[in-house]
Amino acid sequence: MNRANYPRERYPDFVHGTNGMGDITIPAPTLQTDPKTAAQAIADAANNHGSDLVIIAVGRLTNLAAAIDIDPDIATTCKEIIIMGGAYRTEGNVSPYAEANIFGDPEAAQFVFDQDIPLTMVGLDVTMQTVMDNDYIESLRTSLGDTGQFIHDITRVYAGYHKESQDWDHFPVHDSSAIAYFDQPGFFETESGRLHCVLDGEERGRTVFTPGDGPHKVCSGVNSKAMLARYHEVLSASY
C-alpha cells in the first residue's frame, strides 16, 4: 500500500480536497458561527443528554480528549463512543502500523482509551472491506437525483486519489462505516477487550487490542453487501 506519512499538522487535502468536500463549490453559509469550541460543544452535549449520548468520532480524537479534560464527567455519563480509526489485525495506512486518524494525535487517543468509556473502534479491518466502485456510485447518481449527484461530486477527489496511488477503480468506505455501525451493529462482528495506543518509536500511532474483559470493542468483520444496500436505502429515504 502506498503510504503518505505526513506530519501531524498537514491537512490531507491530497485525499479529501482542499475544502474537505472534494473541492465542490460550497454555497456561502447563511447561519451564524457558533462561538463555542468543538470541545466545549461536546462537553455541553454530554451535560444535556447524559447517558443518551453516543459520540461518533470520524477524525482525530483531539476535540473529544479536550472535552473530557473540560468535563471529566463525560467519562461516566456518555453512553458510548464510536470511532472511525485504528487498525487491529491489518496494517496501517500512513505507516505499516498506524491509521491516519489515530496517527494524527495518538496522545488524544490514549487519553480517551484510558477513560473506560464504552468505545467501539471501527477501523481499517472493516473499512477496507467495504468499497464503493464506479458502478455503485453511478447507480446512486442515476437513481437518487440531486442526492446521488452530490455523493458522486464529493467523491471525485477521493476516488482519484485511490486511482492514482493504488490504481483502484474503487475506494474504501471509512467514515460511513462508523455511522453504519451505529445504525446497524448487527452488520459487524466485534471482539471485546481493551485498547492501547503506542506513543513512541516507529510504531507510534499503532492501536493495540487485548481481547478479554474491558470497556472496548473492535470491529473485526462486516457484511459489506448489506451495508452498501443500507447506504442506498438511507439515501433513498432522503430523496
Side-chain angles (χ1 to χ4, degrees), residues 115-129:
Q115 304 309 308
D116 285 348
I117 306 172
L119 180 148
T120 299
M121 185 178 88
V122 185
L124 299 181
D125 298 84
V126 290
T127 67
M128 296 297 291
Q129 292 184 41

Side-chain angles (χ1 to χ4, degrees), residues 86-176:
Y88 174 25
R89 295 192 177 104
T90 191
E91 67 174 3
N93 59 359
V94 294
S95 83
Y97 312 100
E99 177 276 332
N101 287 341
I102 302 299
F103 178 80
D105 195 343
E107 285 79 12
Q110 184 58 48
F111 181 76
V112 172
F113 295 161
D114 283 342
Q115 304 309 308
D116 285 348
I117 306 172
L119 180 148
T120 299
M121 185 178 88
V122 185
L124 299 181
D125 298 84
V126 290
T127 67
M128 296 297 291
Q129 292 184 41
T130 302
V131 300
M132 294 182 179
D133 60 21
N134 293 332
D135 289 342
Y136 182 83
I137 294 296
E138 189 61 26
S139 74
L140 299 179
R141 185 184 191 185
T142 57
S143 65
L144 299 179
D146 290 344
T147 299
Q149 185 67 49
F150 175 74
I151 298 297
H152 171 274
D153 292 347
I154 66 172
T155 56
R156 294 310 83 206
V157 171
Y158 189 58
Y161 165 75
H162 288 93
K163 179 64 176 177
E164 180 179 353
S165 63
Q166 310 294 335
D167 196 26
W168 292 347
D169 292 318
H170 61 262
F171 53 81
V173 183
H174 294 307
D175 295 353
S176 296

